[in-house]
Amino acid sequence: MKKFKIKIKKIEPHQLNDRLLLINLYLTQGLTLILGIIWILFQQRNPFQLLALPSDGQFVLWGLGLALTMLAVDFLLSRIVPESSMDDGGINEMLFSKRPVWHIILIAFIVAVCEEILFRGAIQHAFGPYWTSILFAVIHVRYLKHWIPTGWVFLSSYGLGYIYMESGTLWAPIICHFVIDLISGMMIRFRRKEDNERA
């Protein structure tokens, strides 16, 4: 009888083509969503109730306020810290540089909803914002080579956890996460276009 072996091989960013990158993105987000919903159900909570829109719009201010603050800090970091210290291995560049605008919006929305359901909706409910933020930083493995982006991901996650607790709704961190990913994606997309036009 033959033994069945599974080989897991590390793939470098330059080895990924666009199709493989998108498959990986959507598969991981799908798994994140499923895991989050299962965990919430095990906590005997209703995921639909968790995503119910609040009657007042305060959560929008929480989400946009934190997003603008985080984008401002990110802008300052990009001016102070060497680019090599903020390197993610080129994944964001590959993901957004040639993507149509509608697809950047879709990616930002899917990532925001799936990750916030798991991290703020399920994990933070079980372990609190501190341990959730450590786990959130660890899963963003492409940043772990550099302490500045890892620390920034941790602080960002803690901020998302804070506005979730303060607003009382998951929509506040979802909006924040969406705005950050959307603006970051658009900046990569249109910065590359400007660079090509100058060349």
Side-chain angles (χ1 to χ4, degrees):
M1 187 175 180
K2 285 185 178 180
K3 287 185 179 179
F4 183 70
K5 285 186 179 181
I6 297 174
K7 288 184 180 180
I8 297 173
K9 190 177 166 185
K10 186 181 174 187
I11 295 176
E12 296 298 323
H14 67 271
Q15 294 174 295
L16 287 169
N17 61 34
D18 192 57
R19 185 171 171 272
L20 210 56
L21 184 64
L22 285 178
I23 288 168
N24 183 54
L25 172 78
Y26 287 121
L27 270 177
T28 54
Q29 292 307 312
L31 287 170
T32 299
L33 179 64
I34 291 164
L35 203 79
I37 290 170
I38 289 169
W39 199 331
I40 288 163
L41 291 171
F42 270 113
Q43 293 168 344
Q44 298 181 335
R45 295 156 68 224
N46 185 340
F48 293 108
Q49 237 172 11
L50 199 63
L51 288 169
L53 276 171
S55 52
D56 71 347
Q58 281 291 111
F59 71 96
V60 177
L61 296 176
W62 279 108
L64 291 177
L66 181 61
L68 292 174
T69 304
M70 287 166 69
L71 287 164
V73 171
D74 198 46
F75 176 77
L76 285 172
L77 280 175
S78 70
R79 294 287 176 257
I80 299 165
V81 177
E83 198 175 325
S84 60
S85 299
M86 300 296 280
D87 182 36
D88 72 339
I91 295 291
N92 286 339
E93 185 73 26
M94 285 177 64
L95 187 60
F96 295 117
S97 65
K98 296 176 186 172
R99 197 78 47 217
V101 169
W102 69 266
H103 205 168
I104 294 172
I105 295 167
L106 180 68
I107 289 169
F109 182 74
I110 288 171
V111 169
V113 170
C114 294
E115 290 189 3
E116 292 310 312
I117 285 173
L118 175 61
F119 286 93
R120 256 50 65 183
I123 298 174
Q124 183 167 312
H125 183 78
F127 301 113
Y130 178 77
W131 290 107
T132 301
S133 298
I134 287 177
L135 188 60
F136 192 76
V138 167
I139 69 128
H140 286 78
V141 70
R142 64 187 188 268
Y143 296 113
L144 292 178
K145 290 177 185 173
H146 306 288
W147 69 270
I148 293 173
T150 302
W152 180 231
V153 169
F154 172 84
L155 289 173
S156 302
S157 175
Y158 200 87
L160 291 166
Y162 176 78
I163 65 168
Y164 174 45
M165 292 186 296
E166 288 298 313
S167 66
T169 175
L170 202 56
W171 284 105
I174 286 172
I175 286 171
C176 180
H177 200 146
F178 169 73
V179 169
I180 289 165
D181 286 357
L182 176 65
I183 291 175
S184 301
M186 292 294 191
M187 284 172 70
I188 291 168
R189 171 73 172 82
F190 290 105
R191 184 183 65 221
R192 183 177 174 96
K193 190 178 177 181
E194 282 174 20
D195 292 346
N196 288 344
E197 284 170 1
R198 281 185 202 137

